[in-house]
Amino acid sequence: MKLSLSCSVLLFAALGLAACGGSSSDSKPSPSSSSASSSSINSSSSSVSSASSSAISDGPVASLHTLADFPVGVSVSAGNEQQSLLANTDNGAAQRNVVETHFSQLTAGNIMKMSYLHPTEGGYTFDQADALVNYANEKGLGMHGHALVWHSDYQVPGWMKTYSNDPETFRAMLAEHSETIASHFAGRLESWDVVNEAFNDDGTYRNSDSLFYQRLGETYIDTAFISARAGDPNVDLYYNDFNISNVGPKFNAVLAMVDGLIEREVPIDGVGFQMHVFMGWPSTSDIKSNFQKIVDRGLKVKITELDIPINNPYDGSYNYPNNYQASLTPELAQTQKTRYCEIVTAYMDVVPEDLRGGITVWGINDSSSWLIQQLFNRQHQDWPLLFDDEFNQKPALEGVADGLTGKTCS
Ligand code: G3I
């Protein structure tokens, strides 16, 4: 089915995370129409599991991270979160088994965000994050920090929202925040997302929903990077955003911002492409073109939050509950494998070894994905990740392995 190419900017539910849908020149055949019933996640979960299991390929991957000489990461829950990686439960043990077998770097999905680490003025709480970092260090896993400065209302500490209106007082506070946190973890992290999601999809700076822009304008970004470097002289410092692996105004704006940082000699080591992408969007030619522009500046490229759902709510053929993919068929699992492979291949083709910051997927197993709640409103299941809910590897994992080892994507 041919899909609309319109790149309509829609909001990801609850998050203000925008995405474009539609076909691209290299999009896979559109998932066939489904006349699925409006079954809930719970009522459909058993069929989900069996569908996932039946889709397991016959080419298991022994250890994904050993196929790459750069970080191969995954985001995890930890601390007080439900389904913590470190929980003394069967689920926790199963997660740790996957993590220790297949990945070489962890990102905290939540617990290293601002409100977790700096909940009160002058008060830092590092215990939960330290436990995760200590676990990673003990197991020989690297850590990517996420994130020192992020506008998202959910995780901006309440006290910061009412902090001084005087720009220089606010700037000093922000600098102390970034430097203190970077300093606390110095020597224990490989990299930080210093500033996360500073731009709207039209290329303008976030303003109405960004406390930091409102108080300081775009110069808050310089402050965050300079103070992060003051806190840790060796960690890699990234600017991180979504919807920047497609060609368009948002990526152009990021590029211009990065050029400004370089010109002003503000320390930045790389750009993080979150890559919450879809089966058919964006095109691999767009992805390669944007990677190349960062490489051309001598900066590292890191895929920081990769996931590829089967359903795409911005795709004209998606119409829950009348028309959506209600199960992961072997054919869809195969198409997803190819898509994962093509994205990893794009990375390997364009990014030279010394600029490979790594590839991280956003979550371990399918039903734990943020997309289920925040994109699909828990109305139905999806299968965006590399492992099913019994922690069996999916063909998608093999797709990543194929991409890392230079095999033809199939
Ligand atoms: O911890 C509370 C818990 O006490 C409460 O009972 C529960 C009820 O909803 O909420 C829990 O907090 C949730 C939190 O995740 C921890 O699990 C929040 O509601 C929920 O909004 C939050 O979602 C996270 C989201 O960022 C917002 O910070 C997702 O897990 C996380 O995957 C997502 O990650 C972001 C990246 O940081 C930036 N890029 C986009 C990506 C996906 O949105």
Side-chain angles (χ1 to χ4, degrees):
M1 182 184 298
K2 185 77 179 156
L3 304 174
S4 159
L5 251 180
S6 69
C7 186
S8 56
V9 178
L10 298 171
L11 295 183
F12 273 12
L15 274 190
L17 179 56
C20 299
S23 72
S24 61
S25 54
D26 60 351
S27 65
K28 297 290 147 238
S30 173
S32 60
S33 293
S34 151
S35 54
S37 67
S38 58
S39 56
S40 69
I41 289 177
N42 286 341
S43 63
S44 64
S45 60
S46 57
S47 66
V48 166
S49 298
S50 59
S52 297
S53 299
S54 67
I56 291 169
S57 75
D58 54 6
V61 177
S63 173
L64 188 66
H65 78 86
T66 60
L67 305 177
D69 53 9
F70 52 81
V72 177
V74 64
S75 79
V76 295
S77 297
N80 293 336
E81 287 187 285
Q82 285 182 345
Q83 302 206 338
S84 166
L85 171 78
L86 304 181
N88 188 20
T89 59
D90 289 348
N91 178 274
Q95 289 188 65
R96 291 192 293 278
N97 182 43
V98 168
V99 159
E100 291 164 26
T101 303
H102 289 289
F103 296 99
S104 55
Q105 189 181 69
L106 302 181
T107 304
N110 281 300
I111 68 159
M112 291 174 75
K113 292 173 181 173
M114 304 179 83
S115 60
Y116 290 84
L117 299 183
H118 198 177
T120 58
E121 186 178 342
Y124 291 88
T125 50
F126 292 120
D127 289 357
Q128 295 187 31
D130 279 341
L132 180 63
V133 174
N134 289 344
Y135 162 79
N137 289 170
E138 278 166 22
K139 298 296 177 187
L141 299 160
M143 282 290 308
H144 174 69
H146 173 79
L148 290 175
V149 180
W150 187 25
H151 73 280
S152 177
D153 187 63
Y154 150 77
Q155 57 78 65
V156 174
W159 65 269
M160 245 182 223
K161 296 173 189 169
T162 55
Y163 196 75
S164 172
N165 276 322
D166 172 60
E168 290 321 307
T169 307
F170 191 89
R171 188 185 306 284
M173 178 278 292
L174 188 66
E176 194 270 347
H177 163 89
S178 292
E179 182 172 348
T180 301
I181 295 174
S183 166
H184 176 82
F185 294 104
R188 297 189 289 156
L189 307 189
E190 291 169 294
S191 44
W192 267 110
D193 291 329
V194 177
V195 174
N196 195 38
E197 303 174 2
F199 291 94
N200 296 308
D201 274 6
D202 65 2
T204 57
Y205 278 95
R206 281 183 190 277
N207 184 348
S208 61
D209 60 350
S210 172
L211 171 71
F212 309 106
Y213 190 88
Q214 287 164 16
R215 297 296 171 87
L216 299 175
E218 60 195 77
T219 64
Y220 83 87
I221 297 175
D222 292 41
T223 299
F225 276 91
I226 290 166
S227 50
R229 175 57 75 232
D232 186 341
N234 298 314
V235 74
D236 280 346
L237 304 178
Y238 283 88
Y239 175 77
N240 192 50
D241 215 327
F242 62 86
N243 286 357
I244 59 169
S245 56
N246 56 299
V247 170
K250 186 169 186 178
F251 179 71
N252 293 340
V254 169
L255 212 48
M257 182 271 294
V258 163
D259 285 342
L261 294 179
I262 293 170
E263 196 180 320
R264 295 189 296 280
E265 298 185 355
V266 173
I268 179 171
D269 297 292
V271 170
F273 291 77
Q274 293 187 8
M275 298 201 71
H276 297 293
V277 296
F278 292 99
M279 298 277 264
W281 180 90
S283 68
T284 49
S285 65
D286 273 22
I287 294 168
K288 285 181 164 187
S289 166
N290 289 7
F291 285 172
Q292 185 65 56
K293 290 197 166 72
I294 299 303
V295 166
D296 290 345
R297 280 144 177 91
L299 294 181
K300 292 188 177 180
V301 174
K302 186 172 179 70
I303 297 177
T304 50
E305 305 184 15
L306 181 61
D307 46 30
I308 313 175
I310 299 294
N311 287 285
N312 176 355
Y314 309 109
D315 173 339
S317 68
Y318 174 91
N319 177 20
Y320 177 83
N322 302 312
N323 188 23
Y324 74 107
Q325 296 299 338
S327 66
L328 181 65
T329 63
E331 293 75 22
L332 287 169
Q334 186 63 31
T335 306
Q336 186 187 46
K337 171 193 170 190
T338 308
R339 176 69 165 153
Y340 264 107
C341 178
E342 288 172 347
I343 289 172
V344 174
T345 299
Y347 186 80
M348 303 298 285
D349 284 352
V350 172
V351 184
E353 282 181 30
D354 61 331
L355 296 180
R356 290 176 187 160
I359 298 176
T360 286
V361 287
W362 203 245
I364 298 176
N365 60 341
D366 284 331
S367 66
S368 69
S369 167
W370 72 285
L371 291 160
I372 309 298
Q373 177 165 353
Q374 293 173 40
L375 185 61
F376 300 117
N377 297 319
R378 298 201 75 79
Q379 290 177 309
H380 61 78
Q381 184 58 285
D382 203 284
W383 307 269
L385 297 171
L386 305 183
F387 294 87
D388 73 15
D389 292 338
E390 282 74 47
F391 298 97
N392 297 307
Q393 53 182 264
K394 293 166 55 191
L397 183 76
E398 209 184 322
V400 176
D402 287 351
L404 292 175
T405 52
K407 290 198 183 131
T408 302
C409 297
S410 61

